[in-house]
Amino acid sequence: MALRNASKIWKPSSSAVIWLVFVLGLVGLVIGLGVHSSYSRCGGVREKWKGVEKALADLRKAGRLESLDSAKVADETYRKTWYRKYDEISSVASVLRHRSDDFQRSAAGTFNIERCALTPKAGTWEHSSMSRVGTDGVLFSIFAAIGTRTRIAVEVDSASGHGLYMSLASLTSFLSWDVYMYFQTWSGYAIGNELLNNAASASRRAQSFSTPPKVNVSEVGTAFSNFNKVLKGSLVAGEIDLLCLFTETDDYEIWKRIDGVAPRVVLVTYQEYWGPDEAVIRASSGKPRPRQDSRDTKRRRLFVGASLPALNKLANSKRYRLVYCLSNTPIAAFVLDDPTTQILKTLPMAHCFRKKAVDAEWMKDMAAQWDEAQAFEWIDV
C-alpha cells in the first residue's frame, strides 16, 4: 500500500515534464554558448595546433639525416639511401607546412591572447632532422605559429667550439627558401657546402618542389667583425624570416651592430653558467688575465660571448622577446614583437634554467665554469 501511494505521490504531471524539459534545454543552451564562446575566443587555435604537433611527432619518427660527404657520395647505394631518407623527411615537412597553413588561417582570427597563446614545455619542440642540434623542430614550430613572409634565412657559424650547427639545412625540405650560410673556417665551409647543396639537389629531385630552395654558402674568415658589409655583398637586405647567430664569440656584437636586415626570428647562443640574472658580455679585447694564459684555445671558447640576460636586454631594445630555449644546447629563440607573433607567449628567462637546475652534475659543472670565467674580463650591460 505504501509503495502504491508513493508512486501516486511522485508521478509527475505533464506540466512538470514540460517545465523540466524547458529547464534542461535552457541549461544545455547556456553550456553550448559557453563552449562556443570559449572556442571562438581562440578561433580554434588550440584544436588546429594539435595537427602541427602530430606532424612534429611524425618528423621525429622519420629520424635524422646523416651528412652526405664526398666519400659517401662516391657510394651509389649509400647515396640512394640518403635520397630516400631525405624524401621521407621532406614529405613529412610538406605535411607539416600544410597543417601550419591551416593553423595560420585559424590563428588569423580575433582571439584572446592571454587565453590562447602557445607556451611550449621545455624540450617539446626540439628535434633534429639535419641540424647538429635540435633546432629543426623549434624552427618548424615557430614558423608554424607565426607564418613566413620572405622565406630568407641567414646563418653565421664558426664551425668550432661546439661544432657545426647547420640549423638551416632543414629548411631545404620546405618550398622556395633562400638560405645563406656564412662560415668562419674553411673546414666548416667544406662540410656545410656539401650537406646543404646535396640537400638542395635532393629537393630539386622531388616532384612536389615547384620552386626549389636556393643555397648560398660562403667562407668569410674574420669578416664577421663587419657583418653588415658581408650581407651587403650577398645582396641580402630588408626583412628576412630568420637569423641564426652561432659564432659563439661575437653573436652579441653582430646582433647589436646589424642594421642591413630585419629578421623576424633570431636564434643565438649564450653562456649558461651566468644563469638568468647576470647580464654580462666578454670584453672585446679577448685577452685572458695572466693565470689563464696556459689554458688551451678550445677551452677558452667556453669563456666568450654573452649571458642570456645580456642578450635578452639587447633583444628588448630591438623589439624582440624570448619565446624558447633549447634544453640541451644553450641556444635561445627570439621573435620580433609585432602582431604576427603574439600567438607565442614570452618565456621568462628563469624557465631556461629551471629543469637543468635540479641536475646536481650540471650545477656542479656550471659552478666550475663560472669560477673559471672569472679569469677573463667581462662587462656588465
Side-chain angles (χ1 to χ4, degrees):
M1 178 67 74
L3 288 176
R4 284 198 296 271
N5 291 336
S7 64
K8 291 179 180 178
I9 294 171
W10 292 105
K11 184 176 181 181
S13 65
S14 58
S15 59
V17 171
I18 293 172
W19 175 251
L20 180 62
V21 169
F22 173 76
V23 171
L24 290 175
L26 185 62
V27 170
L29 178 62
V30 170
I31 293 174
L33 287 174
V35 170
H36 177 73
S37 175
S38 175
Y39 186 91
S40 298
R41 279 198 293 268
C42 293
V45 163
R46 294 196 178 279
E47 291 75 11
K48 298 291 186 183
W49 184 254
K50 291 178 182 178
V52 177
E53 290 178 330
K54 171 64 167 59
L56 284 169
D58 292 341
L59 195 66
R60 292 189 181 95
K61 291 178 183 178
R64 187 177 185 282
L65 189 68
E66 293 184 21
S67 175
L68 185 59
D69 55 36
S70 55
K72 292 174 180 176
V73 169
D75 185 338
E76 185 178 355
T77 301
Y78 185 90
R79 185 168 67 251
K80 288 180 178 179
T81 302
W82 191 91
Y83 280 148
R84 282 198 300 271
K85 187 69 172 176
Y86 180 89
D87 289 343
E88 182 182 357
I89 290 173
S90 63
S91 65
V92 174
S94 178
V95 171
L96 176 59
R97 179 172 181 266
H98 291 313
R99 294 187 183 180
S100 301
D101 290 344
D102 191 29
F103 171 74
Q104 274 295 301
R105 284 191 290 272
S106 171
T110 302
F111 53 86
N112 187 314
I113 289 295
E114 290 300 317
R115 176 185 291 271
C116 309
L118 304 171
T119 305
K121 295 180 181 178
T124 54
W125 285 0
E126 292 164 46
H127 169 69
S128 175
S129 295
M130 300 180 212
S131 68
R132 299 294 180 91
V133 288
T135 53
D136 292 355
V138 175
L139 291 177
F140 288 162
S141 300
I142 288 176
F143 286 116
I146 70 173
T148 58
R149 284 184 178 171
T150 63
R151 291 183 175 266
I152 297 174
V154 172
E155 181 173 332
V156 186
D157 201 323
S158 67
S160 53
H162 286 102
L164 290 163
Y165 288 87
M166 300 297 293
S167 287
L168 302 193
S170 61
L171 297 182
T172 62
S173 60
F174 277 123
L175 280 169
S176 60
W177 275 84
D178 287 351
V179 172
Y180 295 83
M181 287 283 301
Y182 300 96
F183 292 97
Q184 196 171 18
T185 64
W186 178 258
S187 59
Y189 165 80
I191 297 171
N193 190 50
E194 277 190 310
L195 176 59
L196 282 166
N197 279 291
N198 281 313
S201 296
S203 293
R204 295 185 185 100
R205 290 174 55 257
Q207 296 298 318
S208 59
F209 285 83
S210 57
T211 308
K214 298 175 184 176
V215 175
N216 310 269
V217 186
S218 305
E219 187 266 326
V220 294
T222 58
F224 284 157
S225 59
N226 191 356
F227 195 60
N228 283 317
K229 185 177 180 180
V230 172
L231 290 174
K232 189 175 181 180
S234 302
L235 302 179
V236 181
E239 185 180 58
I240 64 174
D241 272 325
L242 175 63
L243 173 65
C244 298
L245 298 174
F246 299 147
T247 69
E248 301 177 354
T249 56
D250 304 314
D251 298 344
Y252 181 92
E253 288 300 324
I254 291 175
W255 196 8
K256 180 181 179 181
R257 296 175 184 175
I258 201 166
D259 57 18
V261 297
R264 297 178 66 228
V265 179
V266 177
L267 264 57
V268 60
T269 60
Y270 62 93
Q271 296 295 2
E272 55 189 345
Y273 49 77
W274 289 107
D277 301 314
E278 298 188 72
V280 297
I281 62 172
R282 174 71 185 278
S284 58
S285 65
K287 295 179 180 179
R289 294 171 184 171
R291 71 183 179 89
Q292 190 70 19
D293 285 344
S294 61
R295 302 288 182 180
D296 64 86
T297 304
K298 188 174 182 180
R299 181 69 177 169
R300 287 184 191 180
R301 294 190 68 85
L302 293 173
F303 311 107
V304 291
S307 66
L308 181 59
L311 289 164
N312 194 55
K313 278 189 175 183
L314 176 62
N316 293 163
S317 71
K318 289 176 168 282
R319 289 199 314 115
Y320 290 83
R321 55 192 181 83
L322 180 68
V323 295
Y324 197 85
C325 288
L326 270 72
S327 58
N328 296 319
T329 307
I331 294 177
F334 296 87
V335 298
L336 186 65
D337 191 11
D338 70 10
T340 67
T341 66
Q342 295 307 305
I343 190 64
L344 296 175
K345 278 189 177 179
T346 301
L347 185 72
M349 285 184 290
H351 284 219
C352 300
F353 303 91
R354 181 175 294 173
K355 191 174 182 179
K356 298 175 182 178
V358 300
D359 186 337
E361 287 299 317
W362 184 86
M363 290 294 290
K364 182 179 178 181
D365 188 37
M366 291 300 104
Q369 288 186 36
W370 187 93
D371 287 340
E372 203 168 344
Q374 307 315 303
F376 295 89
E377 184 181 356
W378 296 82
I379 301 173
D380 293 325
V381 294

